[in-house]
Amino acid sequence: MSETYYEFGTAADRWDRAQMFFEAKEYLTAARILGGLVEEVPEQVAPRLLLARAYYHSARLGKAEVELRAVLERDPVEDYARLMLGRTLERQGRHSEAAPHLRMAAALTGDFDSGTS
């Protein structure tokens, strides 16, 4: 895969660019930029979480799941990652695997009336 202009610049430049593409619903382009950032700074949760979201929105659910599990390894109480993992598993038809993550996300946010039982 050849590099393009949006894969160059500082990490901050690429982060801004990735967010811009994500907001424009150009999820594949955002994921391409974010993949490089995640390789560069694998310990940072924000780029990996946005990468997971880009994968989710572009129906690359297996990749989204991998990134979300990596986020949760680093930060087990990241409530949005829990919610997204639950939704990703649901979207794959894996409802029994999704349920505990959805319940935990609800508990972490105090949203006990979310209907995820």
Side-chain angles (χ1 to χ4, degrees), residues 69-113:
R69 290 189 188 279
V71 167
L72 291 170
E73 281 180 27
R74 288 166 176 72
D75 187 358
V77 294
E78 169 50 64
D79 58 274
Y80 191 69
R82 286 273 170 213
L83 176 64
M84 278 207 59
L85 180 56
R87 296 289 183 233
T88 299
L89 293 169
E90 276 186 332
R91 200 166 160 194
Q92 295 177 69
R94 296 161 58 190
H95 300 283
S96 62
E97 289 178 66
H101 295 288
L102 295 172
R103 282 193 302 270
M104 189 174 295
L108 289 168
T109 61
D111 183 17
F112 296 107
D113 295 326

Side-chain angles (χ1 to χ4, degrees), residues 27-38:
Y27 302 119
L28 294 176
T29 302
R32 195 166 164 188
I33 298 166
L34 290 162
L37 282 173
V38 166

Side-chain angles (χ1 to χ4, degrees), residues 1-59:
M1 190 180 319
S2 67
E3 292 187 6
T4 55
Y5 77 93
Y6 47 76
E7 295 168 315
F8 291 100
T10 67
D13 291 338
R14 287 177 286 136
W15 171 248
D16 289 342
R17 206 170 295 127
Q19 289 180 303
M20 179 192 69
F21 279 106
F22 185 88
E23 289 169 11
K25 298 183 180 180
E26 293 288 336
Y27 302 119
L28 294 176
T29 302
R32 195 166 164 188
I33 298 166
L34 290 162
L37 282 173
V38 166
E39 284 180 23
E40 239 176 86
V41 285
E43 70 281 355
Q44 289 190 1
V45 169
R48 194 176 293 272
L49 188 55
L50 190 58
L51 176 58
R53 292 177 64 200
Y55 285 149
Y56 178 87
H57 288 297
S58 60

